[in-house]
Amino acid sequence: MRLHALALRNFRQHVETNIRFAPGLTGIIGANGAGKTTILEAIAWALYGNSAARGTRDSLRHARAADNAPVRVELDFELAGHRYRVERTLRGAELFLDGGSTPIARSIKAVNELLQRRLGMSRAEFFNTYFTGQKELDVMAALGPTDRARFLARVLGYDRLTAAQELLREQRRTLIAELNGLRSGMPDPVVVAQREHDADLALSEARDRAELASAAHASALQRLATIGPTWEAADAAREQWHALEAERRLVEQAIEGATRERERVTIERAGVDAASAELAPLLPLVSALPARRDALEELERLAAADGERRALAERVASLEEERTRLAERLGKLESAPALEVEQRAVLETSRRALSALESALDDARTAWARDRQEAETRHDALNTQHDELAAQQSTLEGLGEESPCPTCARPLGASYRDVLGLITEQLETVVVDRSYFRNRARQLATVPEGIADLEQRRLAQQQDIASAERRYARITAAVQEREQLQPLYLVLQRRVDEATQRLATLPEGYDATAHRTLRLEVSRLNALFTRVAQLQATVERAEPLEQRAEAITRDLATHGARREEISGRLAALAFDVEHHATLRQEYAGASQAVHQAELAQAEARGAVQRAEQQREGARRVRAELHTLQARAGLLEGERSLHDELDDEFAALRSELNARLRPELSELASGFLESLTDGRYAALELDEDYAVQVLEDGLPKSVLSGGEEDLCNLVLRLAISQMIAERAGQEFSLLILDEVFGSLDESRRENVLALLRRLHDRFEQVMVITHIEDVREGLDRVLMVTYDAETGASRVHASAGGAAGAEAAAWDVEAVA
């Protein structure tokens, strides 16, 4: 795999960065946080999407970019003889092949799947192959034998066997737990057999009791059938006797009621005779009542008219008084509209004057505050400048000609006197200026007289306006009152006219004394008329009462004949109450015996059903026992199979580990021989995965620091080579991230020399570091800086110290 170009837009710190990669040894150099590792993150994101990025998808956007600003990464690379260009955004991705204009994949999912198939490795495998950090170079030396083997297995993907074996063991534990649960809950076969035998015995006994209960029930039914007809005949006679007795009681009650009714009619007939005697002298007296009522109605009408006349007269007087009062008030308010116009003009003039005063006061205050702030700011700045110059003067005087230059930090030497004189002169100027601005700030601390005068004038004007506003409010209220009173005056005038006209239409001539006398006379005649009506109603009942008396006589004769008939039928029936009671007791005893027999029979049948259910339950338990035994046999077989698989996984892992060390040793030995020009021809891993270097066929007992770095590097390269070969890819790209952090200068030079000697194996080698001293050993450099003002990273390309004519002519575009 070879990288050609990378373009970033709004990707983390990189607002717009374009990088073109070239073969050879390239260094990406910059301070921590400048955005170096972000370049690698952008490469990984372009290839594998969000799974290769830190944080959430939205966190990829540049912090100072707008919410809708596009985030875009474009990577151009070569793989297996083909040229690929992947363009990825937050919401989509496209993949182009061999310079084509039509993408071969258009969605995030399609691009991710296609690239992983073409690369032949997962994201983790890709990083373990092409990317190497300082921790990965030193990790095996710090691990024990077991952890070192686990590390290699994890990097090469063998840890998936361990995961599979753990899953298998978890399943086996589940099987064992289920098997133990089945066995603990499985019933005892002997108990099951005994339960089934007891259920069969109980069923036989219950059926015998059911047969005895059925026989007893049949006998009780026979006895009940024998006594039943006699009891039914006696009970029917009793019902007939009760019916005749009830009818006889009803006839006697009817005779008693008719007798009482005849007595009441006799009393009412006596009352009718008395009413006829009282009515005769009253009829002439009430004949004059209609004429007296007509006269009373006429006087009532005159009385109502007289009351309305007095009320209207009082209302007219009250309305006249109110109309006079309104007319006086309207006269006083006549000048209010003209005063309102005049006062409004005065108020507007005062407000314009106040606005002019406030504008002048604001201008004066602004100028005063500006001058005071400027004086204080200049004084504070001069204080700071004075302290800095005094400190520089003191440092120069203390160190002499060895003092560092304030600008470039180099020793001043012969320029010492000139620089000291310049600083002294600047310090004196600052002292003079600071004194002036201190005095100026003190002068401006007090409010100027002009501002105080303007404030007094503004306060007086505000008071005048408040007084004018109060007067204007009173005038406006008077205008509104006038407008409200005018319609009221017209309404009062109309009401007076209407009341006067109504007074002219009312009749006169009412006599209150005659009215009272006539009212008493009519009241007395009304009472007599009511009594006459009552007496007439009583007299009119004479004929109905006579008819009712005749009907009662007929009813008494009929009820007497019916009573004699019923008494004869009761004597003929000859019902014996004691004999009926004896038969009832015998029949009740027979019925109770049948009922008891039915209960015993039902209980026996229930016992049979329960016994059958117990026998069925015993049989189900036996069937469940057989099912559980069969399930336990299957689980036992599965557990045996899991035991065999566990052993096979352990054997396979041991075999892979046994093959791992020789293969790694062979690949690492090839790298070691190339890097040492044949001095060290072999590198071996013993059973504890400890590194041994062979010199002239013998293990080298002591390794120098540089040799340890060399061994760690070739072992990591061997691991990467093994992963790349298994993925079917050529291992041509190597990226080292911060591998110089713990190395001194000589060891850094040693690692750079080793990397340069790998050029025949790796077409592209990239080194990411914050140490600028290594640029002398690089072919080309990408310098990454961070602009705090814009919040953006900038990338500048240049040739390295080891670059020749070819590197000097390198066409690099890397701008932000």
Side-chain angles (χ1 to χ4, degrees):
M1 182 178 187
R2 176 183 171 187
L3 304 180
H4 287 281
L6 176 67
L8 292 81
R9 184 177 181 187
N10 292 324
F11 186 84
R12 297 205 187 278
Q13 308 101 305
H14 294 269
V15 177
E16 188 163 359
T17 299
N18 300 302
I19 302 173
R20 292 181 55 213
F21 299 102
L25 184 57
T26 300
I28 301 177
I29 303 176
N32 292 331
K36 306 185 302 298
T37 306
T38 304
I39 297 175
L40 295 187
E41 185 181 12
I43 296 172
W45 187 64
L47 294 174
Y48 288 96
N50 292 328
S51 62
R54 298 165 292 170
T56 62
R57 179 174 59 184
D58 292 334
S59 67
L60 297 177
R61 182 180 284 107
H62 180 52
R64 300 189 187 181
D67 293 340
N68 58 350
V71 177
R72 186 180 187 88
V73 172
E74 181 177 344
L75 177 64
D76 186 352
F77 65 95
E78 186 177 339
L79 179 68
H82 291 282
R83 190 79 171 261
Y84 295 88
R85 178 167 57 86
V86 57
E87 298 179 2
R88 189 179 295 273
T89 64
L90 293 180
R91 307 295 177 184
E94 291 183 339
L95 180 63
F96 300 85
L97 178 64
D98 294 332
S101 58
T102 303
I104 61 175
R106 292 180 178 272
S107 66
I108 292 177
K109 182 178 180 181
V111 170
N112 290 349
E113 293 177 351
L114 182 57
L115 280 176
Q116 186 160 339
R117 287 199 304 271
R118 297 293 173 89
L119 290 169
M121 57 183 70
S122 65
R123 181 186 63 84
E125 291 171 339
F126 181 81
F127 274 91
N128 286 330
T129 303
Y130 295 108
F131 292 83
T132 299
Q134 174 64 34
K135 294 181 180 179
E136 294 174 343
L137 290 180
D138 296 337
V139 68
M140 292 191 63
L143 295 176
T146 302
D147 292 335
R148 193 176 299 124
R150 288 177 179 172
F151 170 77
L152 291 174
R154 177 180 60 80
V155 172
L156 294 172
Y158 292 167
D159 56 338
R160 284 175 289 186
L161 289 175
T162 303
Q165 191 175 17
E166 288 298 326
L167 179 60
L168 179 68
R169 289 176 177 175
E170 180 63 28
Q171 293 175 349
R172 183 176 62 181
R173 286 192 290 270
T174 303
L175 287 173
I176 292 173
E178 184 179 357
L179 183 59
N180 292 336
L182 283 176
R183 287 175 176 172
S184 63
M186 192 180 299
D188 188 351
V190 176
V191 175
V192 172
Q194 183 63 39
R195 178 180 176 182
E196 191 172 7
H197 174 268
D198 294 343
D200 291 337
L201 182 61
L203 178 60
S204 176
E205 293 176 354
R207 286 174 176 172
D208 293 341
R209 288 196 299 271
E211 292 178 0
L212 293 175
S214 297
H217 180 254
S219 176
L221 287 175
Q222 180 64 34
R223 182 176 174 230
L224 182 62
T226 302
I227 197 175
T230 305
W231 160 251
E232 290 174 359
D235 197 51
R238 174 180 174 275
E239 292 296 329
Q240 188 178 3
W241 179 77
H242 275 299
L244 290 172
E245 281 290 333
E247 189 175 359
R248 183 177 62 80
R249 285 194 295 271
L250 290 175
V251 170
E252 290 179 350
Q253 290 175 0
I255 290 172
E256 291 177 1
T259 302
R260 289 192 297 272
E261 180 68 12
R262 184 174 58 183
E263 294 175 354
R264 183 184 64 78
V265 168
T266 301
I267 294 172
E268 287 187 4
R269 289 177 65 184
V272 169
D273 295 339
S276 297
E278 184 182 355
L279 179 62
L282 295 179
L283 289 174
L285 295 177
V286 298
S287 60
L289 180 60
R292 306 311 292 166
R293 281 180 175 174
D294 293 340
L296 180 61
E297 288 180 1
E298 179 62 22
L299 286 175
E300 291 285 352
R301 185 177 66 81
L302 292 174
D306 184 69
E308 185 178 356
R309 174 183 293 280
R310 288 196 301 272
L312 282 174
E314 293 176 359
R315 179 173 176 78
V316 167
S318 176
L319 290 175
E320 287 288 355
E321 182 180 355
E322 188 174 355
R323 184 177 63 175
T324 303
R325 188 170 60 256
L326 281 179
E328 293 176 356
R329 181 59 181 166
L330 285 172
K332 294 179 180 179
L333 297 175
E334 189 65 29
S335 62
L339 290 175
E340 182 184 20
V341 174
E342 178 183 351
Q343 188 63 26
R344 185 187 302 118
V346 172
L347 185 60
E348 290 177 354
T349 302
S350 299
R351 286 174 176 171
R352 286 195 295 271
L354 176 62
S355 177
L357 281 174
E358 289 179 340
S359 177
L361 179 59
D362 289 342
D363 293 342
R365 281 180 173 174
T366 301
W368 170 53
R370 184 178 61 250
D371 293 343
R372 185 180 59 182
Q373 182 64 37
E374 182 180 1
E376 292 175 352
T377 303
R378 290 293 306 276
H379 179 259
D380 293 341
L382 288 170
N383 273 337
T384 303
Q385 186 177 2
H386 176 271
D387 295 341
E388 293 175 353
L389 291 174
Q392 292 179 5
Q393 183 186 43
S394 177
T395 301
L396 291 174
E397 291 175 350
L399 298 178
E401 294 183 356
E402 297 300 322
S403 300
C405 177
T407 303
C408 62
R410 295 179 180 176
L412 292 174
S415 302
Y416 168 72
R417 294 297 177 184
D418 295 338
V419 172
L420 179 60
L422 177 61
I423 290 176
T424 302
E425 182 180 351
Q426 291 177 349
L427 185 60
E428 292 173 354
T429 302
V430 167
V431 169
V432 174
D433 291 345
R434 183 178 64 173
S435 176
Y436 167 77
F437 281 105
R438 181 174 59 250
N439 294 333
R440 178 62 176 164
R442 290 174 180 173
Q443 293 172 359
L444 293 174
T446 325
V447 179
E449 293 181 0
I451 293 176
D453 180 61
L454 286 173
E455 288 181 345
Q456 291 294 330
R457 290 171 58 192
R458 182 187 64 174
L459 180 59
Q461 188 65 29
Q462 287 175 342
Q463 293 174 350
D464 293 342
I465 288 175
S467 176
E469 286 176 344
R470 289 192 296 273
R471 175 172 173 75
Y472 180 72
R474 290 194 298 273
I475 294 173
T476 303
V479 171
Q480 293 176 353
E481 184 183 1
R482 179 176 178 273
E483 293 175 352
Q484 294 172 356
L485 293 180
Q486 285 177 341
L488 291 177
Y489 181 81
L490 296 177
V491 171
L492 287 174
Q493 181 64 43
R494 186 178 69 252
R495 290 179 179 176
V496 169
D497 295 341
E498 290 174 353
T500 303
Q501 293 173 3
R502 176 60 179 164
L503 276 173
T505 62
L506 293 176
E508 300 179 358
Y510 172 69
D511 186 351
T513 304
H515 187 196
R516 286 193 298 273
T517 302
L518 185 57
R519 184 183 296 160
L520 291 173
E521 183 180 358
V522 170
S523 176
R524 183 177 60 80
L525 291 175
N526 281 334
L528 289 176
F529 181 80
T530 301
R531 180 57 181 166
V532 167
Q534 292 173 351
L535 293 173
Q536 286 176 342
T538 303
V539 170
E540 289 174 356
R541 296 191 60 198
E543 184 176 354
L545 286 174
E546 187 66 28
Q547 294 174 356
R548 178 60 182 158
E550 293 176 357
I552 291 172
T553 301
R554 289 193 298 271
D555 289 342
L556 285 172
T558 302
H559 292 326
R562 180 61 180 163
R563 180 173 58 182
E564 292 299 327
E565 179 188 356
I566 292 172
S567 298
R569 292 175 63 185
L570 283 172
L573 184 61
F575 175 71
D576 188 352
V577 177
E578 294 181 358
H579 179 65
H580 178 270
T582 302
L583 289 176
R584 182 174 60 187
Q585 290 179 357
E586 292 178 0
Y587 184 79
S591 298
Q592 181 67 21
V594 171
H595 179 66
Q596 293 294 336
E598 288 176 350
L599 291 177
Q601 188 180 29
E603 184 178 356
R605 289 175 180 172
V608 171
Q609 291 179 354
R610 289 193 296 274
E612 289 176 348
Q613 292 174 355
Q614 290 176 358
R615 184 179 65 176
E616 185 63 26
R619 290 178 178 177
R620 284 198 303 270
V621 171
R622 182 179 60 185
E624 291 176 359
L625 174 61
H626 292 164
T627 302
L628 292 175
Q629 289 173 341
R631 175 62 179 165
L634 291 175
L635 292 176
E636 188 65 39
E638 290 184 14
R639 187 186 70 172
S640 299
L641 179 60
H642 280 69
D643 290 341
E644 293 177 6
L645 287 175
D646 187 21
D647 295 340
E648 290 299 325
F649 270 124
L652 178 59
R653 191 169 64 250
S654 299
E655 183 177 355
L656 289 175
N657 286 334
R659 294 180 181 179
L660 173 66
R661 289 187 293 105
E663 189 174 354
L664 277 177
S665 297
E666 183 179 355
L667 290 174
S669 297
F671 284 116
L672 184 62
E673 185 176 7
S674 298
L675 292 175
T676 60
D677 293 331
R679 176 182 176 185
Y680 301 130
L683 182 148
E684 292 183 354
L685 294 174
D686 59 15
E687 294 181 356
D688 292 337
Y689 289 88
V691 178
Q692 290 186 348
V693 177
L694 301 183
E695 184 177 15
D696 297 330
L698 298 176
K700 187 175 175 60
S701 58
V702 179
L703 298 178
S704 65
E707 290 170 340
E708 288 181 357
D709 294 337
L710 178 62
C711 290
N712 291 334
L713 178 60
V714 298
L715 184 58
R716 184 63 181 85
L717 294 177
I719 294 172
S720 299
Q721 179 72 41
M722 184 179 295
I723 297 174
E725 288 177 354
R726 291 179 180 178
Q729 301 293 347
E730 181 181 354
F731 189 28
S732 58
L733 172 66
L734 179 61
I735 300 176
L736 304 175
D737 187 10
E738 294 292 359
V739 297
F740 303 115
S742 60
L743 304 180
D744 56 23
E745 184 176 357
S746 62
R747 294 181 72 181
R748 288 199 295 267
E749 294 175 355
N750 185 31
V751 171
L752 285 174
L754 296 177
L755 294 176
R756 183 169 300 285
R757 298 175 70 176
L758 290 175
H759 181 66
D760 58 336
R761 288 179 177 268
F762 301 101
E763 186 177 0
Q764 281 183 317
V765 178
M766 297 185 189
V767 179
I768 301 174
T769 182
H770 64 280
I771 302 174
E772 295 191 23
D773 293 347
V774 302
R775 65 185 305 155
E776 297 300 326
L778 303 172
D779 294 331
R780 56 197 57 82
V781 173
L782 295 177
M783 181 61 69
V784 184
T785 59
Y786 179 74
D787 188 348
E789 235 180 81
T790 63
S793 296
R794 298 184 177 275
V795 181
H796 174 69
S798 63
E806 180 182 356
W810 178 40
D811 182 13
V812 176
E813 179 190 4
V815 295

